[in-house]
Amino acid sequence: MNVLLKSATIIDSKSEFHNTVQDILIEKGVISKIAENIKNTSKYKEINLENLHISQGWFDSSVCFGEPGFEDRETINNGLQAAALSGFTTVAMNANTEPVLDSSSNIAFVNSKSQNHAVTLLPIGALTKDSKGEHLAEMFDMKNAGACAFQDYKKPIENANMLKIALQYASNFNGLVYSYPQDNSISRNGVVNENITSTTLGLKGNPNLAEALQVARDLFLLEYTNGKLHIPTISTAEAVDLIREAKKKKLDVSCSVAIHNLFFTDDVLTTFDTNFKVQPPLRIQKDVDALIEGVKDGTIDLVTSDHNPLNIELKNIEFDYADYGTIGLESAFSALNTLFSVKKTVSILTKGKERFGQESTTISEGNKINASLFNPNGKFTFDTSNIHSKSKNSIFLNTPLKGSVYGIIANNKMILK
């Protein structure tokens, strides 16, 4: 692939061209030249886009694509296309498929479906067989087949000894173990945050305590085992404080937060719109403030879209019975760009690849191009026309956002809107 990008603002703090406007010549997928003005003597395709900005390729640590088993919700091919048009060059795919991704053959299947795409797909293997929490899955075999980490998606490991053994076993091959932060004995059947809003609406509440207790337990187990732990999608101020203290102790822990938990509070639930039914639930402003501070000070390592496509029949029913989840790839950049500066937004989206065994590639001459292209300016209201996923269950529908994505250049391929 040969292409010339014209007048691109480079946002890459590790590049010598950071915060400058440059032409970028790409030949055979490699950045051959960066300069203020490059003449197109070879007659390559030129890309001239309004207020073009470019950064290292973005990474999302939690996406669901349905396939195998739930292709009506989303396929791997269309999911990767949606990721590309949303600016992501690498995504980690969850194991909540049918069958569950709990064996090396299942991991190999997912890898085969994603071959030769511009977006790199990193499959996450199930931590336990069928994600039932009873027996450890084939972690080592899955690691060898290409699994980047292990988790039972949205299912806490209730048996503390199971998580202890998983951390100890995975440490033999530098495996990353997820533990979903919820104590089901406390959360029980709660569908929204336990607060005045839940009481007013007559909905069962899921208290902050359920998350804090599980995080505290998991951090004790991590300290005991000297393992490698990732806590996905935290949502409470208490969890932020616990993880901050664990990092001061030098424990090998990382964590993430879903973008919608930074953006919305449980006040939006008054309409009973099931797109706002997510897990963990939307919390109160105190929690949102603590999460944003955690992102800013580095306590929270990753921000994820937690992209989870669902059929309309799973959402267009009574709130109590609707499934949890929202798509989020298409709104990720614009939502973060609404909350943070463009430089902070890019920093957030480009973090965390190393945790999953992937290298970051700077925008510098001689490097393979792995980049996201975007325009940080311009306000709009997010609607279904902005959605590329097969499912449309977006929490951000009808929400004013800022900035837009043009696409990506990665793996010697270019995908633009």
Side-chain angles (χ1 to χ4, degrees), residues 130-169:
D130 293 323
S131 288
K132 291 181 178 179
E134 297 172 356
H135 306 283
L136 285 183
E138 302 171 7
M139 297 168 65
F140 182 67
D141 289 346
M142 286 191 286
K143 175 78 170 180
N144 289 337
C148 66
F150 308 95
Q151 77 155 327
D152 295 339
Y153 183 65
K154 301 295 184 183
K155 294 181 178 181
I157 304 301
E158 296 182 359
N159 185 328
N161 192 54
M162 178 74 69
L163 181 58
K164 183 198 78 172
I165 293 171
L167 287 166
Q168 290 173 325
Y169 178 56

Side-chain angles (χ1 to χ4, degrees), residues 13 27 39 115 134 136 149 167 199 265 269 277 321 373 410:
S13 60
E27 296 181 291
K39 292 184 179 180
Q115 281 183 352
E134 297 172 356
L136 285 183
L167 287 166
T199 303
T265 67
L269 295 171
K277 186 177 181 182
Y321 301 107
L373 282 61

